[in-house]
């Protein structure tokens, strides 16, 4: 109970800042994903025929649940890189927090709670707009909200742990260019992964994006079987837990006095 209360204080710190500065992030958090859906779903999608390859549904409906996952992962990537380094080195807010009875582990828990809640709200807003635009195949698209949140945390937790080991932001460029961008483009969001070369598929299966997209799209269309769903959930949960365990270790190494 004490850990939960202390972690909530960390979450409250982030919420206090965001409540006063939300306008600075509204475009990247909400407007950009919607424009993405309009451009690719309605624009480019108008030129894509509905075939068995995409489940026989309009491309807009095929794209929407996957974009919920992809945009959550993109948002979590920034929150898990520069924002973490800033709290360690530039703003030093983590240093101030551990000067109180809050422990380094509780600082991390509060940070992950904040990232998860942000991705949940962003995903919910995105799904609401997708429904208005006619991109929802059915009520199953609502499941993509918690799925996208879990997928985002599965990528965010190890990335937060990695960010806690850095003193310079140089490595973030590599993350965005060689991890985030390929994971966005080649994990099934825009076309089935069956169209990729066979040698690339094992790399795709390792990504949280692919597991999240498979879950979100399968539940949106009602085609997801129980055992595959449990496998996807188990993998994403394991990644999240492993990342948090590493994060506790690195936060303690960096902040414990």
């Amino acid at each position: 109970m004490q850990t939960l209360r202390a972690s909530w204080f960390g979450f409250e710190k982030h919420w206090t800042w965001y409540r006063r500065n939300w306008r600075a992030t509204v475009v990247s958090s909400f407007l950009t994903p919607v424009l993405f859906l309009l451009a690719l779903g309605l624009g480019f999608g108008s030129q894509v025929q509905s075939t068995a390859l995409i489940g026989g549904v309009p491309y807009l409906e095929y794209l929407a649940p996957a974009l919920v996952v992809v945009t959550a992962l993109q948002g979590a990537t920034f929150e898990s890189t520069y924002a973490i380094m800033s709290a360690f080195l530039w703003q030093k807010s983590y240093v101030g927090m551990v000067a109180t009875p809050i422990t380094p582990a509780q600082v991390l828990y509060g940070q992950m709670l904040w990232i998860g809640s942000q991705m949940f709200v962003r995903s919910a807003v995105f799904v609401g707009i997708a429904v208005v635009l006619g991109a929802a195949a059915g009520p199953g698209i609502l499941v993509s909200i918690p799925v996208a949140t879990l997928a985002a945390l599965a990528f965010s937790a190890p990335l937060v742990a990695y960010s806690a080991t850095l003193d310079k932001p140089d490595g973030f460029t590599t993350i965005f260019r060689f991890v985030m961008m390929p994971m966005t483009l080649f994990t099934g969001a825009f076309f089935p992964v069956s169209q990729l070369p066979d040698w690339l598929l094992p790399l795709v299966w390792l990504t949280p994006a692919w597991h999240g997209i498979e879950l979100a799209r399968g539940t949106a269309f009602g085609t997801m079987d129980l055992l595959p769903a449990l496998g996807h959930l188990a993998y994403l949960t394991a990644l999240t837990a492993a990342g948090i365990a590493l994060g506790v270790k690195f936060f303690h190494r960096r902040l414990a006095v």
Side-chain angles (χ1 to χ4, degrees):
M1 183 62 69
Q2 185 177 1
T3 295
L4 180 61
R5 187 165 179 263
S7 302
W8 178 256
F9 288 150
F11 173 88
E12 191 175 33
K13 171 259 181 189
H14 295 293
W15 167 243
T16 300
W17 180 92
Y18 185 79
R19 190 173 56 191
R20 298 174 181 175
N21 299 278
W22 61 271
R23 295 173 185 82
T25 63
V26 69
V27 172
S28 61
S29 299
F30 303 109
L31 184 58
T32 299
V34 172
L35 293 176
F36 211 30
L37 180 63
L38 289 172
L40 291 173
L42 293 177
F44 173 74
S46 65
Q47 307 301 310
V48 178
Q49 293 183 351
S50 178
T51 65
L53 194 62
I54 60 172
V57 300
Y59 188 71
L60 180 63
E61 293 182 5
Y62 176 81
L63 188 63
L67 276 186
V68 180
V69 175
V70 166
T71 54
L73 281 161
Q74 290 174 339
T77 301
F78 180 81
E79 294 293 336
S80 306
T81 50
Y82 291 101
I84 303 302
M85 179 163 287
S86 176
F88 274 116
L89 296 179
W90 305 320
Q91 294 179 332
K92 296 187 181 296
S93 55
Y94 288 162
V95 177
M97 292 170 73
V98 296
T100 72
I102 297 177
T103 67
Q106 291 163 350
V107 171
L108 172 67
Y109 300 150
Q111 182 70 55
M112 297 310 303
L113 183 62
W114 172 245
I115 292 173
S117 65
Q118 278 196 94
M119 297 311 112
F120 185 90
V121 171
R122 293 185 191 186
S123 299
V125 171
F126 187 95
V127 167
I129 294 173
V131 170
V132 171
L133 293 175
I141 196 173
L142 295 175
V143 181
S144 63
I145 299 171
V147 166
T149 304
L150 178 59
L153 287 174
F155 188 59
S156 170
L159 193 51
V160 167
Y162 170 70
S163 298
T165 67
L166 301 179
D167 291 318
K168 296 180 180 180
D170 300 348
F172 296 153
T173 301
T174 302
I175 296 293
F176 280 96
R177 185 172 298 170
F178 298 109
V179 179
M180 187 66 244
M181 187 57 67
M183 191 165 62
T184 297
L185 296 176
F186 303 117
T187 53
F190 306 106
F191 58 88
V193 295
S194 60
Q195 304 301 296
L196 294 171
D198 291 343
W199 63 267
L200 194 56
L201 291 179
L203 293 178
V204 172
W205 297 333
L206 289 174
T207 65
W210 179 76
H211 292 274
I213 290 168
E214 288 291 299
L215 264 175
R217 190 171 277 147
T219 53
F221 299 148
T223 57
M224 178 59 63
D225 293 329
L226 179 60
L227 286 180
L230 291 176
H232 293 309
L233 288 172
Y235 184 78
L236 293 174
T237 302
L239 276 182
T240 303
I244 290 176
L246 286 173
V248 168
K249 176 181 178 180
F250 296 142
F251 269 57
H252 186 271
R253 179 184 299 173
R254 190 110 182 217
L255 295 173
V257 293

